[in-house]
Structure formats: C-alpha cells, structure tokens
Amino acid sequence: MTEQHIVFIGAGNMARALISGMRQRDIPGESIQVHAPSTLHRGALAEEFGVRSRPAQAEKLPENSVVIYAAKPKQMPAILQEWGDTLRSGSALFVSVAAGVSSTQITALLGEEISVVRAMPNTPSQIGAGATTLFARANVGASQCDTVQQIFSGVGKVFWLHDEALMDTATALAGSGPAYVLLFLEALEDAAVLQGLDRITARALALQTVLGTAQMAAASPASPSELRHQVTSPGGTTAAGLAVWEEQLRPLAQRALAAAAERGRALSQLLKKDA
Ligand SMILES: NC(=O)C1=CN([C@@H]2O[C@H](COP(=O)(O)OP(=O)(O)OC[C@H]3O[C@@H](n4cnc5c(N)ncnc54)[C@H](O)[C@@H]3O)[C@@H](O)[C@H]2O)C=CC1
Ligand SMILES: O=C(O)[C@@H]1CCC=N1
C-alpha cells in the first residue's frame, strides 16, 4: 500500500488486534503511532510491535495521516476536544471504530466536516482473519475510501455499508460476534465434560469442529443449510441434537443481536446527553 501514517488514539484490545494484524502484513512499525495516557498500554505495544508510542495529547500530524479512534465511545467528546485543533488543521482522515457513535455526532463534536469513516472491525483481525464493516460519509473521496479499504483488508475481509443505521447491526453481528462464538465453544466444551469427556479433549474437539465447519462452509458454494443437511441422517444423532437447538437458537440469535444493536444506539444517546 502507499506510504501512510497510521495514528491510533487508544492502546487497548482493538488497537492491539489491528496493530498485530497490520504488523503481520509488514506495515512498518515506524509508520504506526499510538497515543494513550497509560504508558503501560502503549509501551507494551511499542515493545511488542515496534510501533511509536506517544502520550494522549495531540500533536501536529504528518501529511497522509489516517487517525484511527480506538478509545471508548463515551470518551469521544473529551478526546476530540483534545484533538480538535490537530484534526481540523490537517488533512487527516478520521476513522472511528467506536461502537454506536454516528459520523454526524463525530463531525458535530469536531465542529467541522472533516473526512470521517466509521469502521467496525473485530478481534480476529489480530491474525488477519477479521471482518470489518465500513461506512463513509458523503464527503469522503474515492481515494480516501481506497486507503481505508487497504488498511482493513490487510487484516481480514471488508464490507461497505451505504446505510449508516445498519452499522449497529454489523456491530451486533461481527464486532461482538467473536464473543458469541467463544461462548458457544465454552458451552459445547462444558456439555461434553458433563458427559465425562476430559476437558482438554472436549476443548480441542469443540474448537476443531467449529474451525473445520467454518472453513468447510467458506470453501463450499453450498449454503449453511445445505451443508447442515449433509450431516443430518434421518432419525440419526444429529437430528436428535438439532431438534433441541432449533427450539431456541433462532429466537435467541434474534434477541442477542437486537440487544447488542440496541446497546449501540444507547451508547450513541448517552453521548448526546454528555455532549
Ligand atoms: N474490543 C473489541 O472487540 C472491539 C472494540 N471496538 C471499539 O474499539 C474501541 C476500544 O475498545 P477496546 O479496545 O475494547 O477498549 P479498551 O478499554 O481495551 O481500550 C481503550 C483504550 O483507550 C485508551 N484511552 C483512554 N483515554 C484516552 C485518551 N484520552 N486518549 C487516548 N487514548 C485513551 C486507554 O488507555 C485504552 O488503551 C471502543 O470504541 C469499542 O467500541 C470495536 C470493535 C470490536
Ligand atoms: O462490546 C463492545 O462494545 C465492543 C464493540 C464491539 C465489540 N466490542
């Protein structure tokens, strides 16, 4: 990709996941800069990934900077207050990974229409297997969209949305999704242990089953439903297990995604109250 200067605001879990994925894609450490108040967090990233580390306060940014906001949603008013002059005076592209906070809220906080893209990545980005949804405001140019596409496609698959309201759904599905899959793994493991299987074998079997099935589904032109039928012999073990899952799983998925998307909208409302 073209020489970009990538500036992270925040040095937590998501910044770490993205930086890890970027470094594996040979984005040089010197072109990544991390700002956070805690020397512990940013120092650890500097040591592990060779990125540059700075305190929280803003400074003049190099040309071609992409600023990735990776601190908490509720901190955005205070942090943008600190960064406002820097962001308004330069030509930086601002990418927010904050759940819920709308691009209109971001430009309102900055008091100016700078280029803003929202991104919703997820933690598998740390091994290049992320899923990121992107939304660009109308004033973001094609070359800026290309830049963001290159950054996030380096750490996984990228999906653009044209309706910003659906970012809350994408957050509920893919941003939060790794936690659901991990809970599913834990539940399968615990259930097998309850039947007597030792924990190490139960964990390894659950993991390989989910991994192998996801890889098979990704490699196959068949739909998940078609592949599922290939496993399900009439009157067999799978049919017996599936009957139990079917009672609850779809309504549960709907409720879980609704709750997560609603939380995204609530985070955005909270910001309105604080702003
Ligand atoms: N964790 C995840 O799986 C995902 C998180 N996100 C979003 O990423 C953002 C960060 O989430 P996490 O990394 O999980 O949180 P975290 O709590 O791990 O990290 C937050 C970071 O912000 C830093 N920070 C606090 N005050 C600051 C300031 N004044 N200036 C600069 N940095 C400051 C903290 O030092 C910390 O490094 C959130 O907005 C979240 O919605 C988005 C997708 C997935
Ligand atoms: O739980 C959260 O709010 C963040 C956004 C998506 C994943 N983690």
Side-chain angles (χ1 to χ4, degrees):
M1 71 186 262
T2 48
E3 191 61 22
Q4 283 296 336
H5 197 79
I6 301 171
V7 178
F8 279 90
I9 302 179
N13 292 312
M14 201 57 234
R16 166 174 286 276
L18 290 171
I19 290 168
S20 169
M22 287 171 184
R23 293 292 288 118
Q24 282 170 42
R25 283 301 173 106
D26 289 335
I27 294 184
E30 313 85 71
S31 65
I32 301 173
Q33 185 170 311
V34 181
H35 290 254
S38 146
T39 44
L40 193 68
H41 285 172
R42 60 190 164 84
L45 292 181
E47 193 170 325
E48 193 173 342
F49 299 110
V51 300
R52 292 188 294 153
S53 140
R54 297 277 188 278
Q57 72 266 20
E59 55 183 44
K60 192 170 172 353
L61 298 174
E63 282 297 302
N64 270 336
S65 288
V66 179
V67 178
I68 301 184
Y69 180 90
K72 292 293 189 195
K74 68 174 183 208
Q75 293 175 297
M76 199 182 274
I79 292 178
L80 288 193
Q81 180 101 35
E82 290 169 28
W83 281 77
D85 286 344
T86 309
L87 291 168
R88 282 185 294 265
S89 63
S91 56
L93 172 59
F94 186 81
V95 179
S96 166
V97 304
V101 186
S102 72
S103 65
T104 302
Q105 285 179 303
I106 296 169
T107 51
L109 286 167
L110 283 167
E112 204 171 293
E113 266 288 341
I114 71 159
S115 300
V116 174
V117 173
R118 280 183 65 190
M120 183 44 59
N122 62 13
T123 50
S125 300
Q126 66 195 271
I127 55 154
T132 301
T133 315
L134 295 168
F135 170 81
R137 272 177 88 73
N139 67 331
V140 179
S143 72
Q144 291 177 312
C145 288
D146 281 351
T147 299
V148 180
Q149 166 86 25
Q150 282 181 52
I151 289 174
F152 287 94
S153 62
V155 296
K157 292 204 159 60
V158 166
F159 307 84
W160 285 92
L161 289 181
H162 298 290
D163 176 359
E164 185 172 2
L166 291 173
M167 284 299 285
D168 288 323
T169 302
T171 302
L173 171 59
S176 303
Y180 313 153
V181 175
L182 291 163
L183 178 63
F184 184 60
L185 280 174
E186 288 174 54
L188 288 178
E189 174 188 324
D190 287 347
V193 168
L194 270 179
Q195 290 194 14
L197 206 59
D198 71 274
R199 191 160 285 283
I200 289 172
T201 307
R203 181 169 299 179
L205 268 179
L207 182 60
Q208 183 55 29
T209 301
V210 169
L211 183 67
T213 306
Q215 285 176 341
M216 175 177 74
S220 171
S223 68
S225 168
E226 286 166 321
L227 291 171
R228 174 161 61 82
H229 282 102
Q230 292 171 15
V231 191
T232 314
S233 315
T237 62
T238 315
L242 277 178
V244 178
W245 287 114
E246 282 282 8
E247 277 170 28
Q248 298 286 343
L249 197 59
R250 288 174 207 274
L252 266 184
Q254 285 169 20
R255 279 176 50 204
L257 262 65
E262 181 48 36
R263 183 61 191 152
R265 289 187 283 273
L267 287 172
S268 158
Q269 291 301 319
L270 279 177
L271 212 65
K272 276 185 196 152
K273 279 187 204 138
D274 290 350

